[in-house]
Amino acid sequence: MENHVQIQLDRRVALILFDWLSDRPDEEDVALHLALRKLEGALGPTLDELFDPDYQQILSNAKTELSDEA
């Protein structure tokens, strides 16, 4: 059994998830806390948008576009 899992996400989904993860309060369950932080840590380096001065607008657009697909 492999120790790693590879997933592909729509970039908008990755942005929204990263933002949600970074704003979450610390989880009481240590394993869940670590898992969420590792996911946040894996997403962060893939998202150049985080350093864009218009990040909040990019995030807002991603949320709107994804909502429109529902």
Side-chain angles (χ1 to χ4, degrees):
M1 177 163 76
E2 282 191 47
N3 287 333
H4 292 89
V5 174
Q6 185 175 5
I7 60 173
Q8 290 186 341
L9 296 173
D10 182 294
R11 190 164 205 83
R12 299 167 301 177
V13 171
L15 279 168
I16 294 165
L17 281 174
F18 179 86
D19 190 69
W20 179 77
L21 287 166
S22 65
D23 283 344
R24 282 188 56 81
D26 286 343
E27 196 60 50
E28 288 185 28
D29 180 316
V30 174
L32 180 55
H33 172 78
L34 261 157
L36 291 173
R37 292 298 154 230
K38 286 179 181 275
L39 177 57
E40 180 185 1
L43 288 171
T46 69
L47 300 169
D48 299 334
E49 294 90 340
L50 299 176
F51 304 103
D52 192 303
D54 294 324
Y55 171 70
Q56 289 302 319
Q57 185 60 50
I58 293 168
L59 179 63
S60 178
N61 291 346
K63 289 179 177 183
T64 299
E65 290 172 13
L66 211 56
S67 293
D68 288 347
E69 290 179 11

